[in-house]
Amino acid sequence: MSDSIFNPKLVVLSVGVWVSFIAFGWAQETLTSHQYGADKDRFEHTSSLVLLQSVGNALVAYVALLITRGPNVSVTGGVPMRDWLIAALGYLGAHKFGLEALKYIIFPLQVVVKSCKSIPVMAGEVVIAGVKHSAAKRMSVLLLTLGVIMFTLAAPAKKGSQAFQLDRKTVIGLVLVFLALVCDGIYGPYQNRIANKYKVSEFHLMLNMNVWQGLFSLVLIAPSGELTECLAFVAKHPAVLQQMAIFAGTMAAGNIFIFKLQHDFGALTVTKITTIRKLVSVLFSVLWFGHHMARAQWIGVFVVFFADKIAQRICGALGWEKAAPPKDTAKKTK
């Protein structure tokens, strides 16, 4: 299926992702950075958050399967357990390593590194799912990555903001973000492979990925006693329940759009949409509240939104695309 920005279905799904995850980002940041009570406690139970989002996503996916496929539906879709395990381990790693990295590095640095997510995902599609990308598509991904990095690094420094320091703490954070990128390059393309081979629906993907991720999270939590600590935190600060409910609800809503995108357009399209979403949320804030943006940031915005057209022009001028570029989809259509 075409991933052109003029595809109505792609536009609707993309907007759904953006709206859901803007709310999700607010809930996540509130949960992990807000100081609760007189003791100024912080919620640091990241494995519990992964478990919470997994349970919420799985329940929503199961209900959707019952509605769309009936009560006799196969929840695994006929996919061997081994395939679900590989994809789910990558899924868990991307979430877990990404959340842990925020404890060690400043947020702008995490955004810059994670902006490179399209590159390992594209590599994963080639190696795991057997997708062949045109030169223009590869150039487009590179331009998208450079545009987001330019937009982030060119932002005016805020008073009192932390400066970048390559110390031991930062190195640990960068290693964690790198591991998250590796996991991104595995789980998305592997879902492409599952969808192509077994013809499962987006709700099969959503249900099984989250069930296994939840089970893995529970295994991580059990020996550490984190779940008990999390429940104690909630009992001490019941106000956190509102943020947890919004966190789980917005994540589940976003997952429906994400897995539909994954199913119909492939992992690379999902990655590009979620990367652009981060820039759109910042750009909306700038336009709405009248914040200042540096000239280099506007150049970055232009590069991001016109990456496909620029890539086609460059490849055409260099003679890398002799004929009309082949369609890059994660699905093999008849």
Side-chain angles (χ1 to χ4, degrees), residues 22 280-293:
I22 286 173
V280 168
S281 61
V282 175
L283 187 60
F284 176 80
S285 175
V286 168
L287 296 175
W288 185 263
F289 295 104
H291 298 314
H292 172 70
M293 261 178 51

Side-chain angles (χ1 to χ4, degrees), residues 216-227:
F216 291 144
S217 298
L218 192 58
V219 169
L220 291 174
I221 292 173
S224 67
E226 180 177 321
L227 186 57

Side-chain angles (χ1 to χ4, degrees), residues 14-312:
S14 300
V15 172
V17 169
W18 293 343
V19 172
S20 299
F21 280 93
I22 286 173
F24 169 77
W26 169 82
Q28 177 177 297
E29 186 173 353
T30 301
L31 270 173
T32 56
S33 64
H34 185 73
Q35 295 177 336
Y36 294 91
D39 296 331
K40 297 184 178 180
D41 298 326
R42 289 196 177 191
F43 188 92
E44 299 179 344
H45 313 295
T46 56
S47 292
S48 298
L49 284 184
V50 174
L51 177 60
L52 174 64
Q53 72 184 40
S54 298
V55 171
N57 294 342
L59 286 174
V60 170
Y62 182 64
V63 171
L65 267 181
L66 291 178
I67 294 173
T68 57
R69 297 297 181 93
N72 297 322
V73 64
S74 169
V75 294
T76 65
V79 180
M81 184 185 297
R82 173 182 173 274
D83 287 332
W84 286 127
L85 285 174
I86 293 173
L89 278 172
Y91 191 51
L92 172 67
H95 287 139
K96 181 62 178 174
F97 290 132
L99 284 170
E100 286 293 321
L102 289 174
K103 297 180 181 179
Y104 297 94
I105 59 177
I106 57 178
F107 182 70
L109 179 59
Q110 194 235 23
V111 171
V112 168
V113 180
K114 286 289 285 181
S115 297
C116 302
K117 179 180 175 180
S118 295
I119 296 174
V121 170
M122 184 168 61
E125 283 196 338
V126 173
V127 175
I128 297 172
V131 178
K132 293 183 178 180
H133 294 296
S134 64
K137 178 65 71 176
R138 295 193 295 270
M139 176 70 72
S140 173
V141 167
L142 180 61
L143 289 172
L144 172 69
T145 301
L146 292 176
V148 175
I149 291 175
M150 181 185 298
F151 180 84
T152 305
L153 293 181
K158 297 180 180 179
K159 293 182 179 180
S161 61
Q162 291 176 275
F164 173 75
Q165 293 181 339
L166 189 60
D167 52 17
R168 179 176 177 273
K169 184 178 179 181
T170 302
V171 170
I172 293 174
L174 289 174
V175 170
L176 289 170
V177 176
F178 174 77
L179 291 174
L181 288 174
V182 171
C183 291
D184 284 324
I186 295 172
Y187 84 83
Y190 211 88
Q191 286 182 85
N192 290 356
R193 180 176 175 178
I194 290 173
N196 291 339
K197 185 174 182 180
Y198 299 100
K199 309 304 178 186
V200 295
S201 73
E202 60 270 22
F203 297 119
H204 282 108
L205 293 174
M206 183 174 172
L207 173 61
N208 286 276
M209 293 291 288
N210 282 285
V211 164
W212 284 110
Q213 180 181 236
L215 290 174
F216 291 144
S217 298
L218 192 58
V219 169
L220 291 174
I221 292 173
S224 67
E226 180 177 321
L227 186 57
T228 302
E229 295 173 0
C230 178
L231 294 174
F233 187 95
V234 172
K236 183 178 180 182
H237 306 291
V240 76
L241 284 172
Q242 181 181 359
Q243 277 73 43
M244 293 179 75
I246 297 174
F247 175 90
T250 53
M251 181 53 138
N255 258 236
I256 293 175
F257 294 110
I258 285 286
F259 280 96
K260 184 62 176 174
L261 275 170
Q262 173 78 46
H263 184 269
D264 292 356
F265 295 94
L268 185 58
T269 299
V270 172
T271 302
K272 291 171 70 176
I273 294 300
T274 53
T275 300
I276 294 173
R277 186 266 306 172
K278 299 172 185 176
L279 184 146
V280 168
S281 61
V282 175
L283 187 60
F284 176 80
S285 175
V286 168
L287 296 175
W288 185 263
F289 295 104
H291 298 314
H292 172 70
M293 261 178 51
R295 182 177 300 175
Q297 285 185 287
W298 285 112
I299 296 174
V301 171
F302 178 84
V303 170
V304 167
F305 284 102
F306 293 95
D308 288 344
K309 295 294 184 183
I310 296 172
Q312 289 172 10

